[in-house]
Structure formats: C-alpha cells, structure tokens
Amino acid sequence: MVEIAEVIDSLDLGASVAEQDTKLSSYFVNSRSMKSILTKKDILLGVKGSGKTAIFKQITKNNNYSETQNVLFVDANQLNADSDFKSAFEMMSQDDNNQNQFVQAWKIYLINAVWPKIKALKKTESYNALYYRVKNDKLLVDLKYPSLLDKLKFAVRRIKFAFSSDIQGNRSVETTIDLNSENELTSVKPVADLNSVDFNEIFRLIDAVLQENGKRLWIMFDRLDDAFPHEKDQFYIRQLLIAYKDFYSYDNFKLKISLRDDIFQTITGEKYGFEGLSHISEKATTPILWDKSKFKDLIIKRLKLSPQFKSYLNKKNIAISDPEDWDAVLEVFLGKQVDNGSKNPDALGWIINHIKDGQSTATPRDVITLLNQALDMQRDEAIPNNQEPIISSSKIKSAYEWTSNNKLTTQLYAEYPDYRSIIELFRARKSTYKQRVIEQLLGKDYEERLKQLQFVGFIGKSGDNWKVPFIYRPALEIKTGEVVKL
C-alpha cells in the first residue's frame, strides 16, 4: 500500500501565480468570463488573484478553442519589465493640456507591437497603403530587433519630441527620433505635423490587411496593475482605454485587456469622468467570481496529477475521476472539518470563509497559497502511516495565519501604501464595530476612510455592523468579537 508520506511528497498543487505555473493547462477551470472574453468582451475584470492571467495564458498558449482559430496573438506588455514599462511613460508629464499625447503614444506603440505580425502577411493593396502611411508618418521604430520596451520608448519619445516642438511655437515642423541598438537617441529629424496622422485610417487598413489574409489579431494586455501599481500611475491605463475606444468596433483587430475591477472603477468613475463610458462598459466582463463548486474543481484537477494519491484512493474504493466521489476525496485530503461542530462548515468551506476579503471575494490564488503552505508544513513533520486526513486541521490553521500575513504585506500594504496607517488603527482590537465606534476610531474623515477600506476589501458591512474579515485578523492580531468602546 502507498504510504502517506509518499502521497504527500507526490502532491503538487502548482503555483499560486499563473505566469509561474507550467502545468496550468492540465488543471485550468473554465468560467463564464473565459467564454465572454473569447466571444464578445474585450476587458476582463477581476480582483487580484482571481485568475485573469490564467485565462489569458490559457487562450494564448492553447489552440483548442474554435473562437481563436486563425487568431494571431501579440503580448503587449512584458512580464519582466514592469517598472521599466511605467518609467517609459514618466518621460512625459501628466498634464491636462497634453493628455491626448498619451493616447497618441499608446496608438503608436500598438502599431509597432503588431507590425511584425502584419509584415509577415501577404502583401495586399491594403498592406501597401498601410506601409506607405506608417513609413511616411515616421511611426515605426528603426531597430532591427526592437523589444516591446524599445517600441514603447520610441512611441513616447516620438510624441515627446513632437509635442516639445509644437509648444515652442513651430507648428509647421515637428520632430521625431532615431534610436541605436542601446535605445539611445542618435538623431532628431523633422517630420510632418503629428496632428495630421490619420490613426483611424491606419487601424482600418490593419483590419483590412487581416481580413484579406483570413486572419484576426488580438493584442493582449495583462498585469497592467503591476506595470502601473499606484493610483497616480493609473492615469496611463485610462489613456489606453481612451485609445481603445477608437478601434474596439473592428472585427479582425482587437485589444484584449485584463484589469483589476477596482482600477477599472477608479479610472472610469466620477472623479475623472469618462466620455463614452457606456461603450467601454459594454465591452467589459462582469468581475470573475469563484464559488465552492469551482474551488472544488480547482483542487480536484490538481490532485488528479498524482498517481500515488490516485492509487491511495483506489485502495479505499474512492474514484477521483467520479464527481460523486469528490467530497470523499476532499475528506481524505483535508478532513471533514477544521473546527468540529454541527454548525461549522466542512474543511473546504472553512478555508473559503477564512480567505474572503471584506467584499466576500475569495480567490484561487489565496486558496492555492494556503494549501501549498499547509502541505509544506505537513511535509516537515513526521507522519504516521495511517494518518488521515493528508493535511491536518492544525496545519490548515497555521497555513491560514501565514497566508494572512502574506496577503496583508504583499498585497494590501504593497498596493495601497497610503492606507497602511489607517489599517494599523485596527491592530490588536476586535473584529466587529458599530457605526458610532468605527467613527470614533477613524476620526473626522471617517466617511472617506470607510469608503477606502471597503473599496480595497479590508472591511465589510454585516447588517448594522462593520467587520474585518478573517483573512486579515491573524496578521493584525485581531480577535473575534465586538469593540464596545475605544
């Protein structure tokens, strides 16, 4: 019989971050959002860790979908140069008078990003017209093997020098630049007025070239929240969405964007205003949501990859391939309950409840993070051969505490550093607050602060009370109960 220690060593639940998961296609969980982005939607919304990157990776790395037949993919932002990606735009100032310059920079970048794919297609009449326009308007970076970052820097510099010439009063002559292999400026040349560039005609010609070749092209923007992590940086994402409005209606030329739903709400909200918002909203999916059945599917598919675990289950007459046996599989893996009692949920329900944020959102990233940590803790302990469940309840609880600290520091504080001092007001207190008490705690700006804390998922409304969710309680030494007075 397979020993428990051997089973534990064989289990690999994969990486919690999709771009690091080499086996993702083996246990990918389909969703309504996946179907939407394959068919009629272009903007994929979801909280951090909800599976946006997994969906984009599955679409671009697998040719199993009828909707992506004859689709050419362009990865528009590279994962290993997030800070450089933002710094390219910081060469220009976020000034109300030149916001359109950022939109134009995005358009020039998109033209350069797709050009290698377009150039490889059959040279039709539309291609010849397109080539003439982009060359005549000096819109292509002059490097033999430009990286995505080279193309973005070229686009920004192309706009920057043109704009500098314009504000100096010389409206008849604008300038562009040549870059060498180190992406350094080598020359500045006069070109036609940038305002005379007909971007709409260029995009129409790109769409026509694709149609004449029987191809479609999707430009994939993922992890923009990492490239532009802070609220002041999200200005650049907003300008990308404005650029997107000019070609979202083309059939063969699409921009697909994955975006945190809180960022989408911010940049399209009342604070900034957004002309044509209804058109953008129509192209956005509903935020990705995970329920218990999806989490069950997620875990079972990953457990299936262990022959030792399957053999162990077979000896107990449990078939992991049979959905009717999945509850029994999870009972072997996680136990029946973490906290015993008729009113308490089963083990998976306990985990889901304890990783939900203040908006009652649970993510696969947090589930896999917790389970991987629990498995590592279990491996470090001597295991009796007859031990069940595979992961003990004590290890699940310890892993939950570790996950709490990890989420607070690497997500909440890292992404919202300005809120840290407010969040620390809750440390070493209890979890539940009546309105008058939380007003006292947060001070005179309590309405705005509460709105901010709700927005990032640190706190949620429960009836007439406010509650800090379980996921943040261990990290902040918060005990379950009500704060009666400060």
Side-chain angles (χ1 to χ4, degrees):
M1 184 174 177
V2 180
E3 295 186 357
I4 291 288
E6 185 182 350
V7 172
I8 292 176
D9 286 339
S10 74
L11 292 174
D12 179 5
L13 299 181
S16 60
V17 181
E19 56 266 25
Q20 299 171 5
D21 200 332
T22 58
K23 300 177 183 176
L24 179 65
S25 60
S26 300
Y27 36 64
F28 180 78
V29 177
N30 279 305
S31 65
R32 182 182 303 172
S33 295
M34 173 77 166
K35 183 68 175 176
S36 294
I37 211 70
L38 282 170
T39 52
K40 55 188 177 181
K41 303 293 186 180
D42 294 332
I43 303 172
L44 178 64
L45 299 181
V47 300
K48 193 177 187 73
S50 60
K52 301 184 299 296
T53 294
I55 288 175
F56 270 33
K57 186 175 179 180
Q58 183 71 3
I59 289 173
T60 58
K61 304 301 181 185
N62 293 275
N63 198 30
N64 300 327
Y65 302 100
S66 60
E67 295 89 349
T68 59
Q69 297 303 307
N70 299 316
V71 172
L72 307 172
F73 295 104
V74 173
D75 292 326
N77 58 314
Q78 49 200 24
L79 299 179
N80 297 323
D82 292 330
S83 60
D84 290 338
F85 213 77
K86 183 183 75 168
S87 67
F89 272 111
E90 289 178 340
M91 293 189 293
M92 296 172 63
S93 65
Q94 295 182 17
D95 189 284
D96 287 340
N97 295 325
N98 73 335
Q99 288 192 18
N100 187 53
Q101 308 294 325
F102 288 94
V103 177
Q104 290 178 326
W106 275 121
K107 290 178 180 179
I108 294 173
Y109 170 65
L110 292 171
I111 291 166
N112 279 273
V114 305
W115 191 249
K117 300 287 188 183
I118 297 297
K119 188 170 64 171
L121 297 175
K122 183 176 65 176
K123 306 302 185 285
T124 63
E125 185 175 335
S126 295
Y127 174 86
N128 293 332
L130 173 64
Y131 181 76
Y132 171 80
R133 281 185 175 273
V134 296
K135 293 297 284 186
N136 188 61
D137 291 331
K138 304 287 187 185
L139 297 180
L140 296 178
V141 61
D142 189 18
L143 289 175
K144 190 172 183 180
Y145 300 111
S147 67
L148 285 174
L149 193 55
D150 291 333
K151 294 172 183 178
L152 181 60
K153 287 183 175 180
F154 167 80
V156 172
R157 285 175 172 145
R158 172 70 171 87
I159 294 297
K160 182 181 178 183
F161 279 88
F163 186 59
S164 297
S165 177
D166 185 65
I167 62 175
Q168 290 169 11
N170 186 354
R171 295 185 178 274
S172 61
V173 177
E174 294 199 2
T175 55
T176 188
I177 60 172
D178 287 338
L179 307 175
N180 64 17
S181 59
E182 276 71 48
N183 204 29
E184 297 169 336
L185 178 66
T186 59
S187 66
V188 180
K189 301 176 182 177
V191 297
D193 185 351
L194 192 61
N195 292 325
S196 68
V197 175
D198 190 344
F199 285 106
N200 288 335
E201 177 62 9
I202 290 172
F203 293 139
R204 187 196 69 77
L205 286 169
I206 291 174
D207 191 71
V209 171
L210 291 163
Q211 183 176 18
E212 291 162 0
N213 280 268
K215 299 290 185 181
R216 292 179 293 150
L217 188 147
W218 290 1
I219 309 171
M220 313 296 286
F221 270 100
D222 187 28
R223 282 184 56 184
L224 284 169
D225 54 319
D226 289 328
F228 305 104
H230 304 302
E231 186 172 340
K232 66 181 179 65
D233 305 322
Q234 290 159 15
F235 166 88
Y236 306 118
I237 304 176
R238 184 175 181 272
Q239 304 314 108
L240 174 61
L241 291 183
I242 293 173
Y244 161 80
K245 287 196 306 175
D246 286 345
F247 56 89
Y248 74 88
S249 60
Y250 291 117
D251 292 329
N252 305 295
F253 182 41
K254 296 290 185 184
L255 182 59
K256 301 284 184 176
I257 303 170
S258 77
L259 202 57
R260 282 199 342 240
D261 50 354
D262 61 312
I263 293 177
F264 184 77
Q265 291 173 35
T266 297
I267 63 180
T268 60
E270 293 180 0
K271 180 177 179 180
Y272 299 105
F274 203 105
E275 186 178 348
L277 175 59
S278 60
H279 298 300
I280 297 290
S281 298
E282 285 173 4
K283 289 294 183 178
T285 67
T286 55
I288 301 170
L289 294 176
W290 287 74
D291 58 20
K292 189 176 180 181
S293 64
K294 285 185 181 178
F295 281 119
K296 188 181 296 187
D297 192 11
L298 176 84
I299 297 169
I300 294 293
K301 283 183 174 179
R302 294 173 186 237
L303 293 174
K304 280 182 181 179
L305 296 185
S306 166
Q308 291 88 341
F309 188 50
K310 289 168 74 174
S311 176
Y312 181 82
L313 292 172
N314 288 338
K315 296 288 186 181
K316 301 171 73 66
N317 294 317
I318 299 172
I320 197 170
S321 58
D322 185 353
E324 292 190 2
D325 280 359
W326 284 2
D327 286 338
V329 173
L330 289 179
E331 190 170 328
V332 171
F333 182 51
L334 300 172
K336 193 166 187 178
Q337 290 181 300
V338 175
D339 288 325
N340 293 326
S342 59
K343 294 184 179 180
N344 292 326
D346 62 16
L348 178 56
W350 188 96
I351 291 171
I352 293 170
N353 288 343
H354 282 70
I355 63 161
K356 284 181 179 178
D357 67 7
Q359 299 182 19
S360 293
T361 300
T363 70
R365 178 176 298 181
D366 290 337
V367 167
I368 297 303
T369 295
L370 188 152
L371 291 177
N372 275 331
Q373 187 64 25
L375 271 173
D376 286 343
M377 291 175 173
Q378 199 71 67
R379 290 187 183 105
D380 291 339
E381 186 175 278
I383 304 164
N385 196 40
N386 61 351
Q387 172 183 300
E388 278 192 26
I390 302 293
I391 301 178
S392 67
S393 60
S394 64
K395 294 298 181 288
I396 291 174
K397 288 181 177 180
S398 295
Y400 151 63
E401 293 176 0
W402 185 94
T403 303
S404 174
N405 280 283
N406 182 66
K407 190 173 179 73
L408 179 71
T409 56
T410 66
Q411 291 189 38
L412 201 57
Y413 283 168
E415 291 166 20
Y416 305 100
D418 294 343
Y419 298 170
R420 182 169 187 156
S421 60
I422 305 173
I423 291 170
E424 286 292 331
L425 295 173
F426 293 81
R427 183 176 289 279
R429 300 182 187 273
K430 292 186 177 181
S431 60
T432 305
Y433 295 79
K434 292 193 181 302
Q435 182 69 29
R436 61 175 178 78
V437 178
I438 206 163
E439 287 178 12
Q440 288 180 315
L441 179 67
L442 296 179
K444 64 178 182 178
D445 297 324
Y446 73 88
E447 286 185 343
E448 182 60 27
R449 288 180 168 185
L450 263 178
K451 187 187 298 184
Q452 292 170 341
L453 295 179
Q454 260 191 303
F455 186 69
V456 301
F458 175 74
I459 200 165
K461 202 74 187 288
S462 177
D464 293 330
N465 297 326
W466 294 92
K467 281 191 176 182
V468 178
F470 284 110
I471 186 60
Y472 295 119
R473 293 181 193 179
L476 290 166
E477 305 169 89
I478 294 172
K479 298 182 184 296
T480 299
E482 183 179 341
V483 178
V484 178
K485 63 179 181 178
L486 299 179

